[in-house]
Amino acid sequence: QVQLVESGGGLVQTGGSLTLSCAASGRDFSNNAMGWFRQAPGKEREFVAAISWSGGKTRYADFVRGRFTISSDNAKLTVYLQMYSLKPEDTAVYYCYSGVSTGHLATMTYDYWGQGTQVTVSS
């Protein structure tokens, strides 16, 4: 089974940057994608970004607006979420996942989840 551990969250001011990491311990070889969701207080968990293990295909939520970049280090089984120009509305717990997706990440399953890392953006 896969265990996912997020790190890199913290407190930043509006306009600041953070890079989140999600390290996978082990690998479910049926999984071909990893990504990020986030959940703000009182809100449903929402998709942020995803990346395929092969080909480096990526998909982003509209609200990212070019501010976030997802990347991966396949050898380390780690995905990263570089976040720039952070806004207070980006405040949320960010969760990493691993699952199965189509080649264009149009559909996916969410088989494993990390425990989440808190991102707080102050006004």
Side-chain angles (χ1 to χ4, degrees), residues 40-51:
K43 302 292 184 180
E44 293 185 347
R45 192 172 296 189
E46 62 180 346
F47 172 78
V48 177
I51 187 167

Side-chain angles (χ1 to χ4, degrees), residues 73-122:
D73 184 332
N74 290 11
K76 296 181 179 180
L77 298 178
T78 301
V79 295
Y80 306 91
L81 185 67
Q82 296 172 286
M83 305 186 295
Y84 308 94
S85 301
L86 285 163
K87 307 173 182 179
E89 50 263 44
D90 294 319
T91 296
V93 177
Y94 284 70
Y95 296 91
C96 173
Y97 78 87
S98 176
V100 179
S101 72
T102 65
H104 295 290
L105 301 172
T107 61
M108 62 186 72
T109 66
Y110 310 101
D111 299 329
Y112 305 96
W113 292 92
Q115 83 289 348
T117 185
Q118 176 71 48
V119 172
T120 303
V121 184
S122 63

Side-chain angles (χ1 to χ4, degrees), residues 1-111:
Q1 295 185 14
V2 176
Q3 292 184 333
L4 304 175
V5 180
E6 303 98 332
S7 62
L11 174 64
V12 298
Q13 293 183 332
T14 297
S17 302
L18 283 174
T19 297
L20 307 183
S21 299
C22 176
S25 299
R27 173 80 185 275
D28 182 336
F29 290 101
S30 67
N31 286 186
N32 64 355
M34 292 180 68
W36 296 88
F37 276 68
R38 70 183 187 184
Q39 187 168 25
K43 302 292 184 180
E44 293 185 347
R45 192 172 296 189
E46 62 180 346
F47 172 78
V48 177
I51 187 167
S52 63
W53 283 113
S54 62
K57 298 181 177 67
T58 59
R59 181 167 71 92
Y60 296 94
D62 290 342
F63 66 76
V64 169
R65 295 180 180 273
R67 298 181 298 119
F68 296 0
T69 299
I70 188 169
S71 61
S72 66
D73 184 332
N74 290 11
K76 296 181 179 180
L77 298 178
T78 301
V79 295
Y80 306 91
L81 185 67
Q82 296 172 286
M83 305 186 295
Y84 308 94
S85 301
L86 285 163
K87 307 173 182 179
E89 50 263 44
D90 294 319
T91 296
V93 177
Y94 284 70
Y95 296 91
C96 173
Y97 78 87
S98 176
V100 179
S101 72
T102 65
H104 295 290
L105 301 172
T107 61
M108 62 186 72
T109 66
Y110 310 101
D111 299 329

